Amino acid sequence: MEPNDCRNCEIRSLALFGEISSEGVDQFAEQTYQVQYPAGATIYEQGDKPEAAFTLREGIIKLVRNSGTDRSQIVRLLVKGDLMGIEGIFEEPYRQSAIALTPVRVCYLPLPMLDRMRTEEPRFTEALLGRWRRALNEVEELAVELGTRKAEERVAAFLLHWQEKAEHDDDNWMPFPLSRTELGQMLGLRVETVSRVLARWKREGIFEERSSRLRLLEPDCLDQLLAQGTETATAAHRE
Amino acid sequence: MEPNDCRNCEIRSLALFGEISSEGVDQFAEQTYQVQYPAGATIYEQGDKPEAAFTLREGIIKLVRNSGTDRSQIVRLLVKGDLMGIEGIFEEPYRQSAIALTPVRVCYLPLPMLDRMRTEEPRFTEALLGRWRRALNEVEELAVELGTRKAEERVAAFLLHWQEKAEHDDDNWMPFPLSRTELGQMLGLRVETVSRVLARWKREGIFEERSSRLRLLEPDCLDQLLAQGTETATAAHRE
DNA sequence: CGCACGGTTGAAACGAATCAACAGGAGTGG
DNA sequence: CCACTCCTGTTGATTCGTTTCAACCGTGCG
């Protein structure tokens, strides 16, 4: 819990400060703190009054929206460099809960500091804009999957997207910290459905899994599966 | 197709310029134009290279995302004052197609002008931020509906939300310019399913419909329907 | 007048949810 | 150290909801 050296942050290029001048960063750095949470911890809860936003430095976080239903929906997965909880600068309660899927390290960015940045650093607002835009894009994509694809396709699409997004190390092994239930909460499916699909694909050698990591062996297989839903779309371009 | 008097625009309080000083508005006003489109017209198409953004002055527009599938997904409905196509200022192709559901009037906001505004008017970026934030919120809500609710509930939720969003005139009649097919494209359902639900509700006197307008007679009925899915959630707050 | 299109309805097929049971591993307490 | 429980993943059988296929109606339009 001590002030950061944000100027030399190893993920600064990814993070919010990456888009702000080094001198600009320095004056704010001392007001931020790094915090760690174990897997399963709640960083903040939907509906709570925000006192800070967070940059994710290490680990993976799910943003969960609870809504009326007994089923909750994961609306986004965050990886290194992602920003969360920034809705606070609009005097708005947190719109989702942020829950660690792995042990995580986050930067704690107090709201008053962010408010000052917003007025003093024009680039800051620009940076936020870019983030919000990308977030919107991701959620829209999720909505499309949920609205137009069936179970198998959703799982396939997820795995392929996730491979892009998550940092797959040396030999295509990527982190896969979601339980079957959670994957279901992301894709609008029940545990059993997810389990069946994955179990079958594992048998068929389409991917392998080891201690919360996963590797696609036949990504083309999944591509094809998605392409099948597409064939009419490529031929006739209307609907 | 002649320059606007944006300063005295009757919807300025809603629109993008509402958050910018009157003097600021004037210097940009002469570069904007009003354009009309008939129902069914495409204002812009997903994937195209943007040359402008648009403010919707009158009418209703759907934002449609085409994705791989043969089914397309409506990701948002726009009403008076809403902004669309602003992703252009990031050198990004349009992410959805914008299609008029009714005859519409829009303001044409050329990209070069918006670029200048972005650098010269700090409040402009702020204004965008607010809009992006609200859009994200809406799409997240859509994703939750798609992921967690079944057909009937989705339709009910839509009608209730739409009543909030659309301007219901004197006696609760609201515009309802969507075909059953389109409502299906919004809610991830097929025409027949939507039709069945609505037809039944109409028989049961839950709402009435007249020439693209609709009035809820028993909104409480729909509320209850949504609440049923909720009961476990209010009792036990986890899942 | 005939045709196309949007909405409606029925019957059958299909996909996913639900219910139920079990296996394996982690953690606990005797 | 073993017995027990709890939790996650798996699998099967059944039920339920939605899609699909098909037919029909009414309306607007060429």
Side-chain angles (χ1 to χ4, degrees):
Chain A
M1 279 289 261
E2 59 218 40
N4 280 325
D5 178 14
C6 296
R7 188 201 273 250
N8 300 310
C9 173
E10 68 268 28
I11 65 160
R12 189 175 140 210
S13 63
L14 295 172
L16 200 55
F17 288 180
E19 299 172 62
I20 292 172
S21 66
S22 290
E23 312 80 60
V25 167
D26 285 343
Q27 43 172 316
F28 296 109
E30 56 185 16
Q31 302 181 50
T32 69
Y33 300 90
Q34 283 193 42
V35 191
Q36 308 213 27
Y37 293 92
T42 298
I43 288 80
Y44 58 78
E45 196 127 8
Q46 176 177 1
D48 282 1
K49 191 155 167 292
E51 16 173 287
F54 304 83
T55 292
L56 179 52
R57 307 201 66 202
E58 191 62 54
I60 299 169
I61 282 179
K62 62 173 175 178
L63 292 186
V64 184
R65 204 139 156 160
N66 248 327
S67 100
T69 334
D70 56 344
R71 310 189 181 177
S72 48
Q73 176 72 33
I74 298 179
V75 291
R76 218 140 50 90
L77 293 180
L78 304 182
V79 299
K80 189 186 283 191
D82 281 340
L83 179 68
M84 61 192 143
I86 193 63
E87 56 267 40
I89 66 173
F90 288 99
E91 326 263 319
E92 206 188 338
Y94 288 125
R95 271 191 325 233
Q96 319 93 355
S97 301
I99 297 173
L101 291 177
T102 66
V104 297
R105 277 190 3 254
V106 301
C107 280
Y108 182 95
L109 313 172
L111 273 194
M113 181 198 86
L114 293 170
D115 278 334
R116 271 193 35 232
M117 280 184 92
R118 183 143 75 119
T119 53
E120 295 173 21
E121 274 278 352
R123 310 278 306 276
F124 175 75
T125 313
E126 284 287 332
L128 283 190
L129 211 49
R131 277 151 193 286
W132 239 303
R133 181 175 54 94
R134 284 193 291 276
L136 179 59
N137 199 34
E138 263 189 54
V139 179
E140 277 187 8
E141 217 127 67
L142 177 63
V144 173
E145 308 280 302
L146 292 174
T148 65
R149 308 204 116 116
K150 50 184 63 166
E152 247 194 357
E153 299 170 336
R154 287 185 216 170
V155 180
F158 171 82
L159 289 180
L160 293 171
H161 276 139
W162 182 241
Q163 187 167 41
E164 299 302 309
K165 179 162 187 179
E167 25 185 5
H168 40 193
D169 65 349
D170 44 333
D171 219 17
N172 274 340
W173 283 99
M174 49 181 172
F176 187 69
L178 295 154
S179 70
R180 312 286 138 146
T181 305
E182 285 168 323
L183 190 48
Q185 288 173 339
M186 173 124 213
L187 302 178
L189 302 169
R190 312 254 83 201
V191 205
E192 297 93 329
T193 309
V194 175
S195 178
R196 272 184 251 270
V197 172
L198 289 183
R200 178 157 48 78
W201 287 353
K202 203 185 286 188
R203 271 195 299 274
E204 293 173 356
I206 292 180
F207 75 94
E208 44 180 348
E209 203 181 10
R210 247 177 37 207
S211 63
S212 297
R213 315 211 104 225
L214 184 152
R215 172 161 67 163
L216 294 183
L217 300 170
E218 304 284 355
D220 302 346
C221 243
L222 302 181
D223 275 323
Q224 263 180 270
L225 203 150
L226 291 182
Q228 281 180 356
T230 315
E231 62 213 3
T232 17
T234 30
H237 208 294
R238 66 201 88 94
E239 144 73 352
Chain B
M1 279 288 261
E2 59 218 42
N4 280 325
D5 178 13
C6 296
R7 188 203 273 252
N8 300 309
C9 172
E10 67 269 27
I11 65 159
R12 191 176 138 210
S13 62
L14 294 171
L16 200 55
F17 287 1
E19 301 173 58
I20 291 172
S21 66
S22 291
E23 310 81 59
V25 168
D26 285 343
Q27 45 172 315
F28 295 110
E30 57 186 16
Q31 303 182 50
T32 69
Y33 301 89
Q34 283 193 42
V35 191
Q36 308 212 25
Y37 293 92
T42 298
I43 288 79
Y44 57 80
E45 198 128 7
Q46 176 177 0
D48 282 1
K49 190 154 169 294
E51 15 174 286
F54 304 84
T55 293
L56 179 52
R57 308 200 65 204
E58 190 62 53
I60 299 169
I61 281 179
K62 61 173 174 178
L63 291 186
V64 185
R65 210 146 150 151
N66 247 328
S67 100
T69 333
D70 56 344
R71 310 189 182 176
S72 48
Q73 176 72 34
I74 299 180
V75 292
R76 219 140 52 87
L77 293 181
L78 305 182
V79 299
K80 187 185 284 192
D82 282 340
L83 179 69
M84 61 192 142
I86 192 63
E87 56 268 39
I89 65 174
F90 288 99
E91 328 262 316
E92 207 188 338
Y94 289 124
R95 271 191 325 234
Q96 320 93 356
S97 301
I99 298 173
L101 292 178
T102 66
V104 297
R105 278 194 358 256
V106 302
C107 280
Y108 182 94
L109 313 172
L111 272 194
M113 180 197 87
L114 293 169
D115 279 332
R116 273 194 32 234
M117 279 184 94
R118 184 145 75 120
T119 53
E120 295 173 22
E121 274 277 354
R123 309 279 305 275
F124 175 74
T125 314
E126 284 286 333
L128 283 190
L129 212 49
R131 275 149 196 288
W132 238 302
R133 181 174 53 95
R134 285 192 291 276
L136 179 60
N137 198 36
E138 261 188 56
V139 179
E140 278 188 7
E141 217 127 67
L142 177 63
V144 173
E145 308 279 304
L146 292 174
T148 66
R149 309 203 115 119
K150 51 184 63 166
E152 247 194 356
E153 298 170 337
R154 288 186 216 169
V155 180
F158 171 83
L159 289 180
L160 293 170
H161 276 138
W162 182 241
Q163 187 167 43
E164 300 301 309
K165 180 163 187 178
E167 25 186 5
H168 39 194
D169 64 348
D170 42 335
D171 219 17
N172 275 339
W173 281 99
M174 50 183 172
F176 187 69
L178 295 155
S179 70
R180 313 287 138 145
T181 305
E182 285 168 323
L183 190 48
Q185 287 173 339
M186 174 122 211
L187 302 179
L189 303 168
R190 312 255 82 202
V191 205
E192 297 93 330
T193 309
V194 175
S195 177
R196 273 184 251 270
V197 172
L198 288 183
R200 179 158 47 78
W201 287 354
K202 203 186 284 188
R203 271 194 299 275
E204 294 172 355
I206 292 180
F207 75 94
E208 44 179 348
E209 203 181 9
R210 247 177 38 205
S211 65
S212 297
R213 315 211 103 225
L214 184 153
R215 172 163 65 164
L216 294 183
L217 300 170
E218 303 283 353
D220 302 345
C221 242
L222 303 181
D223 275 323
Q224 262 180 273
L225 203 149
L226 292 182
Q228 281 180 357
T230 315
E231 62 215 3
T232 16
T234 30
H237 208 295
R238 68 199 88 91
E239 151 67 351

